[in-house]
């Protein structure tokens, strides 16, 4: 095989020469070591440094985050039970409320553990009324077969639990600037 001019034949350019740079420190990185983040490709050092910056919570913060998320989610689920279809619009807003309230309570500190605690709190807060909607259906066994209409409140509670928790979690994660 003869040595070819790389410019004449682009296929012979080694992969490493394709200039990929960390979008934070601008250091050249190879596709093998590049880490794709929400804001683009970064080198491993920058990603690690960033994670340290974002892990600023104190020991109690995840517990506070959980409690605040659970309380607001519970209050929201009570409201959602009266809204039917509008649950779809209200639940994400309650998710936003949860994220903002938690931010205030923990003084804007952040960490993955806190995000997970917010997610868990939002789900747990939506559960009591969801379970209460299931219990009557189980008791009156005939209801499940005859009254499809009785399932609707339960469906909205499930929709609420899914939307409020995913909304709160996505925003808690997305608030990293
Ligand atoms: Zn970098």
């Amino acid at each position: 095989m003869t040595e070819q001019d790389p410019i004449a034949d682009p296929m012979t350019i080694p992969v490493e020469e394709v200039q990929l740079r960390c979008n934070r420190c601008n250091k050249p990185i190879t596709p093998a070591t590049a880490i794709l983040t929400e804001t683009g490709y970064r080198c491993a050092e920058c990603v690690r440094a960033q994670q340290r910056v974002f892990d600023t919570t104190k020991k109690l913060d995840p517990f506070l985050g959980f409690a605040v998320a659970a309380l607001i989610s519970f209050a929201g689920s009570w409201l959602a039970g009266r809204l039917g279809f509008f649950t779809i619009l209200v639940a994400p807003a309650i998710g936003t409320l949860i994220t903002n309230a938690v931010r205030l309570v923990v003084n804007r500190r952040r960490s993955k553990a806190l995000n997970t605690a917010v997610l868990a709190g939002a789900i747990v807060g939506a559960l009591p009324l969801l379970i209460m909607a299931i219990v009557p259906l189980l008791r009156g066994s005939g209801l499940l077969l005859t009254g499809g209409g009785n399932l609707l409140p339960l469906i909205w509670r499930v929709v609420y639990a899914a939307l409020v928790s995913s909304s709160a979690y996505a925003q808690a994660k997305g608030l990293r600037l």
Side-chain angles (χ1 to χ4, degrees):
M1 212 174 126
T2 51
E3 196 67 33
Q4 284 177 301
D5 182 0
I7 294 159
D9 185 359
M11 296 305 287
T12 62
I13 299 175
V15 175
E16 288 77 16
E17 280 183 24
V18 177
Q19 278 307 305
L20 190 61
R21 286 174 182 276
C22 171
N23 73 356
R24 189 162 174 268
C25 67
N26 209 32
K27 195 175 76 178
I29 37 179
T30 65
T33 56
I35 296 163
L36 182 59
T37 67
E38 281 157 30
T39 51
Y41 284 102
R42 295 216 165 147
C43 69
E45 291 96 280
C46 284
V47 169
R48 264 198 301 275
Q50 220 177 358
Q51 276 164 353
R52 274 196 299 275
V53 169
F54 286 128
D55 206 338
T56 56
T57 49
K58 295 180 178 172
K59 261 184 191 172
L60 216 58
D61 287 346
F63 297 101
L64 285 171
F66 177 87
V68 169
L71 272 174
I72 296 174
S73 177
F74 177 75
S77 75
W78 181 83
L79 182 71
R82 278 142 192 82
L83 292 173
F85 172 79
F86 293 100
T87 299
I88 289 173
L89 302 174
V90 171
I94 292 170
T96 306
L97 184 68
I98 288 173
T99 313
N100 290 333
V102 170
R103 265 184 110 193
L104 271 178
V105 168
V106 302
N107 202 15
R108 288 166 192 260
R109 290 185 292 269
R110 52 188 63 176
S111 71
K112 274 186 184 170
L114 178 62
N115 295 346
T116 308
V118 166
L119 175 66
I123 293 170
V124 167
L127 282 182
L129 293 182
L130 173 62
I131 291 164
M132 276 172 67
I134 294 172
V135 167
L137 294 175
L138 295 178
R139 265 199 208 127
S141 50
L143 276 176
L144 270 175
L145 301 168
T146 55
N150 293 309
L151 279 174
L152 213 51
L154 173 63
I155 289 165
W156 290 126
R157 294 218 174 277
V158 173
V159 168
Y160 170 81
L163 285 180
V164 77
S165 52
S166 58
S167 161
Y169 185 58
Q171 288 175 83
K173 276 175 71 182
L175 280 172
R176 49 176 67 159
L177 294 168

